[in-house]
Amino acid sequence: MKYKLTKKSIEHWSGKTLFQIEATTSFDSVVKGQLGGYIEKMENLSQEGNAWVSGNALVYGNALVYGNAQVYGNAQVYGDAWVYGDAQVSGDAWVHGNAQVSGDAWVYGDARVYGDARVYGELKLIRGYFFGMKYKGETIQEIEQGENKILCKGDVKVEKYDEPTTKSLSGKEVKVTLDGVEYVAVIK
């Protein structure tokens, strides 16, 4: 084991309890006894490789950090997100949903990576929202929504919403059958 959960914990606004980690052995630039960031459970950070969570960084939910990945600063990795390879997530960056950050990619500053986004290779994302991928051969549709546009891909069906109209039933006859007896009522 390269780390353990300490008794020091924080209550996350989501209601989850996150525990500070402590290195139980020296590896890479981490020394035995060094305190790290906060994780919800042992499954959030691999015991293999040099992956590490430090500073005020948080990893929770079903998120996983492994390989030689580093999560530090005030970064958050949560949901079903993965950070692996030599990837780094730092600053106030968030990686969540089904997003994956891998290879030599850096996500930092105020960047948000979420949805099914895949960030890999030597990308450095500093600021903005990254939420999906456009694969070769895919078409992205733009749907006007007032002054904004919705971006869609795949088999998308969109219909215009029409406000329901209200019709007056005043003076109309309504027939109702109860227990075999037919009643007629006139709506006032």
Side-chain angles (χ1 to χ4, degrees), residues 136-152:
K136 185 176 181 177
E138 280 188 321
T139 302
I140 302 294
Q141 299 176 46
E142 291 185 356
I143 299 169
E144 298 287 334
Q145 183 69 33
E147 295 179 11
N148 302 309
K149 292 181 181 180
I150 299 170
L151 303 178
C152 306

Side-chain angles (χ1 to χ4, degrees), residues 92-174:
D92 292 313
W94 292 2
V95 177
H96 58 99
N98 292 314
Q100 294 181 18
V101 179
S102 63
D104 293 319
W106 286 9
V107 176
Y108 60 104
D110 294 320
R112 303 290 186 258
V113 178
Y114 58 99
D116 293 318
R118 303 291 183 260
V119 179
Y120 53 91
E122 297 180 0
L123 283 177
K124 293 183 181 181
L125 305 181
I126 302 166
R127 130 176 86 254
Y129 294 86
F130 307 90
F131 55 89
M133 296 287 288
K134 179 182 182 277
Y135 296 100
K136 185 176 181 177
E138 280 188 321
T139 302
I140 302 294
Q141 299 176 46
E142 291 185 356
I143 299 169
E144 298 287 334
Q145 183 69 33
E147 295 179 11
N148 302 309
K149 292 181 181 180
I150 299 170
L151 303 178
C152 306
K153 67 179 185 177
D155 186 20
V156 176
K157 180 180 179 185
V158 178
E159 294 178 355
K160 184 178 181 202
Y161 176 76
D162 291 320
E163 285 288 330
T165 56
T166 306
K167 294 182 179 178
S168 173
L169 296 176
S170 179
K172 300 286 182 183
E173 238 180 51
V174 178

Side-chain angles (χ1 to χ4, degrees), residues 78-92:
Y78 59 99
D80 293 310
W82 290 359
V83 178
Y84 58 101
D86 292 316
Q88 296 184 36
V89 179
S90 64
D92 292 313

